[in-house]
Amino acid sequence: MKPLLVVRDLVTEIGVARVVDGVSFHVVAGETYALLGESGCGKSMTALSLMRLLPDGGRIASGDVRLGETDVLALPERDMRRVRGGRMAMVFQEPMLALNPVLKVGDQIGETLALHQDLGGQAARDAARALLDAVGVPDAARRLDTYPFELSGGLRQRVMIAMALAGEPGLLIADEPTTALDVTIQAQVLDVLRRLRAERRMGMLLITHDLGVVAENADRVGVMYAGELVEEGARDAFFATPQHPYSRMLFEALPRPGDGGRLATIAGQVPRLDGTLRGCRFAPRCPFAIARCRTEPPGWQDFGGQRVRCHLVGTLPAGSVRERVPHIVAEHVPQPLLQVEGLKVHFPIRRGFIQRTVGHVRAVDDVSLAIEAGRTLALVGESGCGKTTVGKALLRLIEPAAGTIVLGGETVTAKNASTLRRQAQMVFQDPFSSLNPRMRVMDILLEGMDALGVGAAVARRDAVTRLLRQVGLPDDAGGRYPHAFSGGQRQRIAIARALAVSPRLVICDEPTSALDVSVQAQILNLLKDLQGELGLAYLFITHNLAVVEYLAHDVAVMYLGRIVEQGPAAGVLRAPRHPYTQALVSAVPRIEPQIGQGVIRLAGDQPSPLDPPTGCPFHPRCPQAGAVCRQTYPGQTELGGGHWVRCHWVAGQA
Amino acid sequence: MSLGAFKVLPVILWTDALIFALLAAVLALVWFIRRQPHLRAPWAAVARRPMAMGAALVLAVFVTIGLLDSLHYRERLSDSPPDRPQYSVEVLSAFDALVGKLRTQQEKTYSAPLAMQLYAKEFIERGGATVRAYPRLKYGGAQLKQADARVPDLVRRVILGLAQGLAASLLLFGLLAAWQTRHRGMAFGEWLSVWGTGRLGWPGRTVVLTLALMLMLGTATFHLAAAYHVFGTDKVGQDVLYIALKSIRTGLVIGTLTTLVTLPLAIVLGIAAGYFRGWVDDVIQYAYTVLNSIPGVLLIAASVLIVQVAIEAHPELFDTAAARADIRLLALCLIMGVTSWTGLARLLRGESLKLRTLDYVEAARAFGVSHARIISRHIFPNVFHLVLISIVLDFSGLVLAEAVLSYVGVGVDPSMYSWGNMINGARLELAREPVVWWQLGAAFAFMFTLVLAANLFADGVRDAFDPRTGGRR
């Protein structure tokens, strides 16, 4: 079959850096080709080179891109405009940034229709409505007249896809199309993409860092590292036996359920692409590297249907490279550390000239939690469900409206907040905004100790050195500024800052969601080690269920400010009872083929906490909802072993 | 020019005191920064930028002239008794003493740049008859016998000046090369080639070329000014070059002292409004909204008039005309400062609003760090680049605003030398045929050079202080 897109030896340079270096692949109509790799490996630059939309200073140095019979790189800009959107279209990662906020959705789609299909007026409107229907936007006719900010993230991404389809392209490039979305919404969007590809027989180039997304969507996979493709093969073969050490380590770095062992980490970072790179680019980080790897760049080798760029193909040991060193696990003595009863956080809505309070957003509504010393409680939920607010309210960064917090046997009030602050600290999501760029690392670590008067002033400098070693940073890190560190190192600094006051509870607010898989593994290992050494308790706020299974002892699932299911991690995640938890668990893309139960797809989005539905807040999306769910809020149903649910349906079954 | 210790009475005007206090503060700051490696690093990055260093050299010349012009004194009258000395009412400065005759060589009225005749026809006696012609100047080109000797004389002076400037530059360059080769242990030829390709680690080429250019310009002007009025003369026959040079101090005073008044107001109110939100924000916002809704020129005009009335009501407080003009200048700085803090305050409020929600501020709050400490360690350092940029941009803006206000007539005292007064004086003469353009031209050239140098320097400073671009050029 004739391929739709053929890329041969593509080289793209930005300044002196060769961000794409000799990449070759092809995409056949009707198939999905996935480009996989960590950030900074050149995936997006490859896509932008195909569209000839490189940023300033970027240029395609050599290579050949053929779309059907057309030589894309030889086209004049005028003809290229017909190709973009018309024959290949792109879906970007951040739908809010890719849509113009001041134009109505219908007009934005109409623009593409006018350009590529010469449609105008009522014809364009009808075509736009048909496109929105095709991407599964409910009530499409009305949505044409809405602005992007009136739509939720999932709907915006569908509108983006509808715009990309407006030119009826043969090739759709999707650059991390679901990274910014919640898992249940991600599942919806990926369904749409799969269906459209089959209906329209499009070729699809899917760019992602998520192995799960690749496993569920791709037909063939190409792994990129440092600007090069290092491995290519059919999905099933690739997932059965990844051949390149880098691919293998990506798998090993993924947290998997029921595995207490350390995660494999890839030491070091992706090399800078501006230097002269000798030998295999992965050699400095590769545990199997031999002398030849450092001097001679490996060529392509065929190995059982896969193509691999590695000298050691076929000689690598089969199976896992994961170190079978278990984490140190502290002796667990049940000892309650944190108990939260009936926590409520309400944000007032003010209107009018004198800012009168007209209502409240119930961001957190009646949440009760308990964490024992040395244990991890994961708080799981989609964005906007109030899980971060719970974390901040516990530290009184946001004043709770009601509820009692008992920490280490002492009730926390506004008066003894400083006692609380020595016992509980927080690690934030984004390591780039959580460190002050104008402060040296040492000053960042000293800040907490100075403010809370921890230890003698002279001993604090030694404490800084100890902390840096504890989190695996070099001793001279203290004198440098945060911008000298990579994302993973910055997160280590943030962890060290929290540890500086020797807390017993650390609230981790999505500490790994901004990091690559291999770096995430490093941070998870570190958190587990610290828990073993120091007996820390974690409140782990996340939406990543794989991390929860790996790290947490207990899980609480939140929906619209309330906990809907809580219990031991294994019980909740393997045998979820609440329909929401079931949907959440089944929506996570898995590497292993799904066995048994079918996938539950939730319809619609999470409602706004401004106007929560009556009765059970989940009933509008719930496949099991009955009349009683619309009227009364369900009580707590105990399922034994500390596992409970709030659901009428489960209560009725019991 | 005798500056004997007994022949002069030092005079310290209010603005002089403030200028030297500011200078002392800047020097103390420099000393402090030198000892802190992490603060020194961005300034070292500024020193590596050719454009910034060239601009800094030009600024340094302006500042030196301004500082020399701020050392004021009164000369003792030659006929006063030694036991009860009396001093002249005219307040002079060290700069006046240096330029010597430039101040005193006054013509009758307008004369064009480098002219040897007046710009207006007069009845003059020539060979017994009275004719209406352009009379010769008293000082400009007075050494020449014939009118046609002027151009060769000018050329000779320019070439002499340029040659001397070049020689001085070469001498300085030789000294620099000798010091550098010893310091680095290089051969001279090797150093020269490194210098030529601009790989010294500091912008050696730019510094040397800028210095050479300024030296040559300076010596050429010096030789011309010895016998001609380089920029012509004004209505009362005073040398325009002298007036333009004297105006530098006025411009610098307005640019720096006004900023000094602006900064505390803008920083404290802007950050407080953004950080504390709530009623603090409301009060500050109402204050600057009200202030902003009053036309600035009107407010300044009203305030200047009040000050003027006050000055005239209390003549006993001022012993010289210079002291009176000086107080008016200081008042102008204060008034402009009080009316111009709102822009920066609004900028800082917006930035603080953004910063206070960032995770590192939340982290500090989680440690129970006090508000004062959060503001001083987390908010202020992260808005400091805005302050710095606005200082330098405001400086240029204020120098230009002074010109506008003086033109309108509510600026500095009419007796004070300033670019605004020069433009105001030239205004009416622009309608003359042929036009009197040199006053305007001189004011424009000086203002343009100062403001351009300040802006280029500001660019360099801003780039160096931005942590994202600090490492790169």
Side-chain angles (χ1 to χ4, degrees):
Chain A
M1 190 172 172
K2 213 169 160 40
L4 178 70
L5 172 81
V6 180
V7 180
R8 227 175 273 128
D9 294 325
L10 181 71
V11 177
T12 301
E13 295 178 343
I14 294 181
V16 289
R18 286 192 140 197
V19 289
V20 179
D21 199 355
V23 165
S24 308
F25 63 92
H26 66 271
V27 182
V28 182
E31 75 160 2
T32 299
Y33 184 89
L35 271 184
L36 179 72
E38 293 180 284
S39 52
C41 283
K43 309 185 297 284
S44 292
M45 283 305 155
T46 308
L48 293 174
S49 306
L50 302 185
M51 296 285 278
R52 287 181 38 196
L53 286 172
L54 287 170
D56 287 347
R59 63 184 194 92
I60 297 165
S62 65
D64 187 28
V65 177
R66 278 182 192 280
L67 185 67
E69 297 301 313
T70 322
D71 184 353
V72 173
L73 300 185
L75 285 181
E77 185 59 30
R78 190 187 148 77
D79 297 338
M80 191 62 209
R81 293 225 302 267
R82 312 275 336 160
V83 172
R84 285 187 206 123
R87 297 184 55 195
M88 56 177 165
M90 195 155 171
V91 178
F92 296 90
Q93 174 175 356
E94 190 51 71
M96 196 64 230
L97 298 177
L99 290 174
N100 186 339
V102 297
L103 280 185
K104 285 177 185 162
V105 165
D107 296 342
Q108 300 197 41
I109 301 175
E111 205 175 12
T112 324
L113 286 169
L115 197 65
H116 292 288
Q117 296 197 21
D118 265 337
L119 289 177
Q122 194 55 41
R125 219 179 140 75
D126 291 343
R129 195 175 50 79
L131 282 169
L132 287 186
D133 276 334
V135 295
V137 172
D139 200 3
R142 198 172 58 79
R143 299 287 188 197
L144 285 175
D145 290 321
T146 54
Y147 290 95
F149 68 86
E150 297 176 81
L151 303 175
S152 65
L155 284 182
R156 274 184 222 140
Q157 195 59 294
R158 287 167 198 238
V159 170
M160 271 298 298
I161 296 171
M163 277 176 71
L165 294 178
E168 299 193 335
L171 176 73
L172 186 67
I173 302 173
D175 187 358
E176 306 259 9
T178 56
T179 306
L181 306 176
D182 282 316
V183 272
T184 57
I185 310 297
Q186 163 170 314
Q188 295 171 1
V189 171
L190 288 175
D191 275 346
V192 168
L193 284 175
R194 267 199 300 273
R195 185 168 51 76
L196 289 169
R197 188 199 65 196
E199 281 173 14
R200 306 190 170 214
R201 291 206 47 76
M202 286 189 300
M204 195 153 101
L205 180 62
L206 178 69
I207 293 170
T208 182
H209 67 276
D210 189 332
L211 282 167
V213 171
V214 175
E216 292 196 347
N217 294 280
D219 298 309
R220 288 187 304 122
V221 184
V223 181
M224 278 194 86
Y225 182 76
E228 287 183 336
L229 266 182
V230 292
E231 178 167 1
E232 195 180 50
R235 176 198 42 192
D236 293 338
F238 174 76
F239 278 88
T241 51
Q243 288 300 331
H244 197 278
Y246 176 65
S247 324
R248 286 185 171 209
M249 294 182 79
L250 281 182
F251 278 94
E252 300 292 339
L254 276 185
R256 293 191 202 185
D259 182 359
R262 298 179 69 85
L263 300 171
T265 58
I266 309 180
Q269 296 168 31
V270 178
R272 290 164 67 93
L273 299 172
D274 46 2
T276 45
L277 296 158
R278 291 180 59 216
C280 172
R281 296 181 178 192
F282 189 58
R285 302 173 72 188
C286 180
F288 308 107
I290 54 173
R292 186 178 167 210
C293 297
R294 301 186 211 286
T295 50
E296 188 187 330
W300 282 108
Q301 304 201 25
D302 282 311
F303 188 82
Q306 281 151 277
R307 295 201 304 150
V308 190
R309 254 183 157 157
C310 179
H311 291 306
L312 297 164
V313 164
T315 64
L316 293 180
S320 178
V321 292
R322 187 175 288 196
E323 295 168 59
R324 283 286 165 205
V325 186
H327 290 274
I328 314 155
V329 180
E331 191 77 11
H332 175 58
V333 186
Q335 179 197 358
L337 176 66
L338 173 78
Q339 267 168 324
V340 182
E341 289 293 334
L343 184 73
K344 292 185 181 181
V345 180
H346 294 173
F347 295 114
I349 309 162
R350 296 178 203 276
R351 293 263 164 75
F353 181 67
I354 51 164
Q355 302 285 296
R356 206 156 42 88
T357 306
V358 295
H360 286 94
V361 180
R362 291 158 186 263
V364 176
D365 204 9
D366 199 12
V367 163
S368 302
L369 297 167
I371 305 178
E372 290 172 3
R375 305 278 278 181
T376 304
L377 171 70
L379 197 55
V380 181
E382 294 179 282
S383 55
C385 72
K387 53 191 195 304
T388 298
T389 313
V390 169
K392 290 190 174 169
L394 291 182
L395 283 178
R396 296 192 97 87
L397 293 175
I398 300 170
E399 276 304 307
T404 54
I405 303 168
V406 180
L407 185 63
E410 198 179 348
T411 306
V412 175
T413 58
K415 280 182 193 134
N416 61 2
S418 77
T419 337
L420 152 84
R421 285 178 169 142
R422 288 199 56 167
Q423 300 213 24
Q425 274 304 322
M426 192 151 181
V427 175
F428 294 89
Q429 174 175 8
D430 181 2
F432 289 87
S433 72
S434 70
L435 302 175
N436 186 343
R438 314 270 167 177
M439 273 165 81
R440 287 181 298 171
V441 171
M442 175 177 289
D443 298 321
I444 290 173
L445 298 186
L446 282 172
E447 182 169 49
M449 292 191 255
D450 288 343
L452 294 173
V454 178
V458 281
R460 286 180 197 154
R461 304 240 150 196
D462 298 335
V464 167
T465 320
R466 201 193 64 236
L467 281 167
L468 287 175
R469 284 203 192 130
Q470 212 164 32
V471 298
L473 287 171
D475 285 355
D476 65 343
R480 286 189 268 160
Y481 285 90
H483 64 85
F485 296 92
S486 68
Q489 287 174 318
R490 282 162 159 257
Q491 203 57 295
R492 287 170 190 264
I493 297 171
I495 292 170
R497 170 176 62 189
L499 294 180
V501 295
S502 324
R504 295 164 68 195
L505 170 71
V506 177
I507 298 170
C508 302
D509 185 5
E510 310 239 12
T512 60
S513 68
L515 305 174
D516 278 320
V517 185
S518 67
V519 183
Q520 162 176 300
Q522 293 173 12
I523 298 295
L524 292 179
N525 278 340
L526 175 66
L527 287 174
K528 254 201 158 164
D529 286 342
L530 290 170
Q531 185 165 49
E533 280 169 39
L534 308 171
L536 293 175
Y538 293 128
L539 176 64
F540 202 88
I541 299 167
T542 185
H543 66 269
N544 187 339
L545 292 178
V547 172
V548 174
E549 283 177 273
Y550 174 73
L551 198 69
H553 301 103
D554 300 296
V555 179
V557 181
M558 269 187 94
Y559 187 76
L560 266 188
R562 299 176 188 229
I563 293 180
V564 296
E565 182 164 4
Q566 190 172 358
V572 173
L573 297 176
R574 296 209 195 131
R577 298 297 300 276
H578 196 283
Y580 176 65
T581 320
Q582 288 174 349
L584 207 58
V585 170
S586 81
V588 177
R590 305 257 168 197
I591 300 170
E592 301 85 6
Q594 297 271 357
I595 326 153
Q597 59 182 29
V599 178
I600 307 162
R601 292 283 184 253
L602 281 185
D605 296 304
Q606 188 170 257
S608 156
L610 255 173
D611 183 23
T614 53
C616 173
F618 186 58
H619 82 256
R621 297 174 77 191
C622 183
Q624 319 290 355
V628 65
C629 300
R630 291 184 194 96
Q631 278 144 22
T632 51
Y633 181 63
Q636 206 163 311
T637 310
E638 294 291 340
L639 300 169
H643 188 169
W644 58 261
V645 219
R646 279 186 187 273
C647 180
H648 291 301
W649 179 62
V650 177
Q653 283 181 321
Chain B
M1 56 181 254
S2 51
L3 258 170
F6 301 104
K7 298 243 174 111
V8 296
L9 173 73
V11 176
I12 297 175
L13 300 174
W14 273 102
T15 51
D16 295 344
L18 288 172
I19 281 177
F20 284 104
L22 189 65
L23 183 69
V26 168
L27 288 179
L29 198 67
V30 168
W31 182 74
F32 174 75
I33 286 173
R34 276 183 66 89
R35 293 161 54 95
Q36 307 277 330
H38 65 288
L39 293 177
R40 202 169 59 196
W43 286 106
V46 176
R48 280 195 296 274
R49 281 161 200 274
M51 197 67 108
M53 284 318 283
L57 279 175
V58 176
L59 278 182
V61 171
F62 275 89
V63 170
T64 312
I65 294 175
L67 286 176
L68 283 174
D69 205 9
S70 298
L71 293 165
H72 285 111
Y73 65 90
R74 282 160 72 185
E75 258 176 358
R76 198 167 79 182
L77 294 176
S78 51
D79 52 353
S80 71
D83 52 327
R84 224 164 31 81
Q86 284 181 320
Y87 295 96
S88 151
V89 291
E90 197 177 11
V91 177
L92 299 177
S93 73
F95 176 74
D96 293 324
L98 274 182
V99 298
K101 285 186 296 180
L102 208 54
R103 177 173 66 90
T104 49
Q105 289 183 341
Q106 208 158 343
E107 304 291 349
K108 206 165 176 185
T109 179
Y110 288 115
S111 72
L114 303 173
M116 52 189 290
Q117 288 161 336
L118 268 186
Y119 202 58
K121 275 186 177 167
E122 277 181 6
F123 290 103
I124 45 174
E125 294 275 322
R126 188 178 288 166
T130 303
V131 290
R132 193 170 155 75
Y134 294 109
R136 285 288 294 266
L137 292 181
K138 222 187 307 174
Y139 303 100
Q143 80 282 15
L144 300 176
K145 297 273 178 294
Q146 297 294 322
D148 51 5
R150 188 176 74 105
V151 174
D153 186 52
L154 286 176
V155 171
R156 190 182 59 78
R157 282 171 188 273
V158 169
I159 288 174
L160 181 70
L162 290 180
Q164 279 182 357
L166 196 63
S169 312
L170 283 175
L171 185 72
L172 280 177
F173 183 62
L175 287 175
L176 174 80
W179 175 70
Q180 286 261 304
T181 46
R182 268 178 70 111
H183 188 68
R184 300 184 174 218
M186 285 179 172
F188 178 73
E190 192 189 345
W191 183 84
L192 203 64
S193 74
V194 174
W195 174 82
T197 49
R199 281 182 283 129
L200 272 179
W202 58 285
R205 255 189 322 184
T206 314
V207 168
V208 168
L209 291 180
T210 314
L211 262 181
L213 210 66
M214 287 198 300
L215 266 175
M216 279 153 64
L217 202 66
T219 42
T221 313
F222 175 78
H223 279 284
L224 287 174
Y228 298 93
H229 301 292
V230 178
F231 278 112
T233 54
D234 70 354
K235 192 168 190 171
V236 293
Q238 194 154 36
D239 192 289
V240 172
L241 175 66
Y242 173 74
I243 299 176
L245 287 171
K246 287 287 276 185
S247 302
I248 290 174
R249 178 179 180 272
T250 315
L252 289 178
V253 166
I254 298 235
T256 52
L257 292 189
T258 306
T259 316
L260 266 194
V261 180
T262 315
L263 278 190
L265 281 171
I267 292 173
V268 170
L269 296 178
I271 293 182
Y275 181 75
F276 291 111
R277 305 280 316 268
W279 65 268
V280 180
D281 188 20
D282 290 345
V283 169
I284 293 170
Q285 272 200 76
Y286 282 128
Y288 72 56
T289 314
V290 169
L291 203 57
N292 254 9
S293 56
I294 304 171
V297 175
L298 205 67
L299 201 62
I300 292 171
S303 314
V304 165
L305 287 177
I306 292 169
V307 170
Q308 203 172 347
V309 169
I311 290 170
E312 276 162 17
H314 303 283
E316 73 280 359
L317 291 177
F318 312 102
D319 45 2
T320 57
R324 212 158 53 222
D326 183 70
I327 281 295
R328 185 162 161 178
L329 177 65
L330 187 63
L332 187 69
C333 289
L334 283 173
I335 295 155
M336 284 172 68
V338 170
T339 53
S340 65
W341 58 271
T342 53
L344 179 58
R346 194 179 302 207
L347 203 65
L348 294 183
R349 171 179 172 269
E351 195 66 16
S352 309
L353 274 178
K354 195 182 86 191
L355 288 174
R356 73 190 289 275
T357 64
L358 285 188
D359 288 344
Y360 57 80
V361 177
E362 293 260 321
R365 287 178 53 211
F367 285 123
V369 177
S370 66
H371 289 314
R373 231 173 136 69
I374 289 182
I375 288 177
S376 65
R377 286 172 60 119
H378 293 290
I379 309 280
F380 180 68
N382 282 295
V383 297
F384 184 66
H385 63 287
L386 291 178
V387 175
L388 211 67
I389 295 160
S390 92
I391 285 181
V392 187
L393 285 183
D394 278 0
F395 172 81
S396 331
L398 289 166
V399 172
L400 300 175
E402 183 276 326
V404 172
L405 289 175
S406 300
Y407 174 79
V408 176
V410 294
V412 296
D413 196 83
S415 71
M416 190 152 219
Y417 297 117
S418 89
W419 291 316
N421 279 343
M422 281 170 79
I423 295 170
N424 193 21
R427 173 172 57 133
L428 297 173
E429 312 304 334
L430 280 179
R432 233 168 116 126
E433 183 61 40
V435 69
V436 175
W437 52 269
W438 45 90
Q439 265 177 301
L440 206 63
F444 171 79
F446 274 73
M447 251 158 64
F448 178 77
T449 315
L450 177 63
V451 170
L452 184 67
N455 284 349
L456 288 178
F457 185 67
D459 270 354
V461 171
R462 185 194 54 199
D463 289 351
F465 270 83
D466 192 338
R468 277 154 299 196
T469 58
R472 295 180 256 130
R473 293 246 168 127

